Amino acid sequence: MTNSVLEAIRTRRMARALTAEPVDRADLEELLKAARRAPSAGNRRLHRFVAIQDPLTLRLLRVVTPGMFQRPTAIVVICIDGGRAESFGMRPTAKGLYVDVGTTAQTMLLAAHSLGLGAGVVTSFSQAAVSAVLNLPEGWSPEMFICLGHAAPVQPAGMRPRGNVTWQTLTHWERFPAKE
Ligand SMILES: Cc1cc2nc3c(=O)[nH]c(=O)nc-3n(C[C@H](O)[C@H](O)[C@H](O)COP(=O)(O)O)c2cc1C
């Protein structure tokens, strides 16, 4: 089947080795435009993005991010605007806030892939340190980095799935049998 969306979903991989080539500002803007279209619980749009291309800030973020194997030339930090969430009566642990981080991340990853960029997700960082580096406004919490650049020709081996993972092993059709 020829379907560019399905093909992009199938061929996207985390890029953990990136070249030093910068990301075009226009591509970064396209990616942010795509992220604005990500599904959002109640269409509340409680996320804010911090887009970074400044080399010094990128270096500082790397220092506080042990899980970042790549050296990105741009990072988009997906943040939750806690003050805005509270104004909607949402608890800081509300499920929708974190589901929205995921929908946004996948939208950005696919947008990056379709623009020919390499992209990787990183979550293992000190939220306090990242907030300090970025001087984030009160109530904003950094939740995920989308690390961007141009994928190097050779990538480190990814994390292998445990067991046999196919769409069939992930799926159960219809109701489970009633419990005795
Ligand atoms: C919530 C979440 C957190 C992740 N955190 C990291 C991370 O800190 N560092 C990293 O290299 N990859 C991280 N990943 C990427 C996963 O390891 C990756 O998606 C998985 O191994 C499958 O590889 P693929 O996306 O290339 O198919 C994260 C992915 C998700 C969804």
Side-chain angles (χ1 to χ4, degrees), residues 18-93:
L18 300 168
T19 70
E21 186 183 342
V23 173
D24 276 352
R25 170 72 179 229
D27 283 345
L28 197 48
E29 290 187 9
E30 279 303 329
L31 180 140
L32 292 162
K33 237 187 265 177
R36 181 260 172 270
R37 295 285 164 199
S40 163
N43 208 7
R44 294 188 192 100
R45 306 282 157 194
L46 303 175
H47 296 85
R48 294 295 177 264
F49 312 130
V50 183
I52 295 139
Q53 290 188 287
D54 171 55
L56 174 61
T57 312
L58 292 171
R59 273 206 302 279
L60 291 172
L61 288 176
R62 197 147 192 283
V63 170
V64 297
T65 309
M68 193 199 298
F69 302 113
Q70 54 278 83
R71 289 175 187 272
T73 49
I75 296 178
V76 177
V77 183
I78 304 175
C79 300
I80 292 175
D81 181 346
R84 211 170 132 70
E86 202 181 335
S87 75
F88 281 98
M90 294 176 83
R91 284 173 292 109
T93 53

